Amino acid sequence: GESVGLHLPTLSVQEGDNSIINCAYSNSASDYFIWYKQESGKGPQFIIDIRSNMDKRQGQRVTVLLNKTVKHLSLQIAATQPGDSAVYFCAENNVDSWGKLQFGAGTQVVVTP
Amino acid sequence: SQTIHQWPATLVQPVGSPLSLECTVEGTSNPNLYWYRQAAGRGLQLLFYSVGIGQISSEVPQNLSASRPQDRQFILSSKKLLLSDSGFYLCAWSGTGAGELFFGEGSRLTVL
């Protein structure tokens, strides 16, 4: 989900369970979406991307789903591990402003043993 | 392989002092370069981007400026820091025509 104010939404997941992180975007012209993972005190790292002509894309333990009808993006992490604890950001881009990503506010994922 | 470095990693500066954060990219040529700022518990806000030497676009009015003196060097500066300039500053690069950004490790600035 998206945060309002200063507090990031937090997703608490038990180790081994699947995680689903949601993101709503507002620009219907966006045609490229990216998920980033940011560990504390570090720069964001690329996880997976998806083009607007796709509904689903899979990577290693991660799947991104895109629903353009409702402008919704989700990241699914299979068998969540302690190393998955981080803040996850979705970002959108479009050909008119290529490279100038618009970031969501982020979701804090906490993996519990 | 391409790498991006930014420094210093942390900086504590008094109000009214100058600022210079530096970012360099290796292993690629003519990258697009970006400066983002991240306030605590927030997403990333684009401050500046550059598509070439000496070409700087500012996204938001502010107390900061950016320069690109060399192809793979991007500098974020201020003549007089404000308390509101505190934050986590991230440099990033992308290839021309590509959407994915590659980020540096960030510079945490605290203005007192």
Side-chain angles (χ1 to χ4, degrees):
Chain A
E2 297 295 323
S3 71
V4 177
L6 296 177
H7 300 287
L8 288 174
T10 299
L11 177 66
S12 185
V13 183
Q14 195 162 14
E15 183 177 356
D17 287 351
N18 296 334
S19 304
I20 300 177
I21 307 163
N22 297 303
C23 179
Y25 64 94
S26 56
N27 188 353
S28 57
S30 293
D31 57 5
Y32 180 60
F33 303 88
I34 310 175
W35 280 99
Y36 283 91
K37 172 187 179 183
Q38 186 177 25
E39 297 177 1
S40 181
K42 296 186 178 181
Q45 293 178 295
F46 171 86
I47 301 174
I48 192 168
D49 59 0
I50 187 168
R51 304 266 174 193
S52 61
N53 60 355
M54 302 171 67
D55 297 323
K56 180 181 179 179
R57 190 171 186 209
Q58 288 184 294
Q60 186 177 12
R61 279 202 309 121
V62 294
T63 302
V64 57
L65 299 177
L66 175 62
N67 185 332
K68 295 181 288 294
T69 302
V70 295
K71 292 187 232 173
H72 183 267
L73 191 68
S74 69
L75 177 70
Q76 300 176 6
I77 305 173
T80 311
Q81 302 170 0
D84 295 326
S85 293
V87 177
Y88 290 80
F89 293 98
C90 63
E92 59 184 298
N93 202 351
N94 66 75
V95 293
D96 293 330
S97 59
W98 202 236
K100 294 192 288 179
L101 296 178
Q102 298 297 319
F103 284 83
T107 298
Q108 175 82 55
V109 173
V110 177
V111 181
T112 57
Chain B
S1 63
Q2 301 89 355
T3 57
I4 180 169
H5 305 280
Q6 63 176 109
W7 67 93
T10 58
L11 195 60
V12 180
Q13 291 286 102
V15 170
S17 64
L19 172 73
S20 180
L21 299 179
E22 191 164 340
C23 172
T24 58
V25 180
E26 298 176 357
T28 187
S29 59
N30 196 31
N32 294 332
L33 296 173
Y34 308 82
W35 278 111
Y36 280 84
R37 176 168 59 200
Q38 185 176 31
R42 296 231 186 224
L44 284 74
Q45 179 187 37
L46 179 63
L47 302 177
F48 301 96
Y49 74 97
S50 171
V51 299
I53 296 174
Q55 301 178 61
I56 309 294
S57 295
S58 175
E59 289 296 295
V60 293
Q62 59 204 309
N63 183 44
L64 303 168
S65 62
S67 61
R68 185 170 177 173
Q70 300 180 45
D71 181 46
R72 290 169 290 174
Q73 184 184 28
F74 206 24
I75 298 171
L76 184 69
S77 304
S78 174
K79 293 181 179 179
K80 289 185 178 181
L81 284 168
L82 305 173
L83 286 173
S84 58
D85 292 325
S86 293
F88 192 49
Y89 290 84
L90 288 154
C91 181
W93 75 272
S94 70
T96 54
E100 180 186 347
L101 294 183
F102 299 92
F103 287 89
E105 288 298 296
S107 298
R108 184 164 302 284
L109 171 66
T110 303
V111 182
L112 301 175

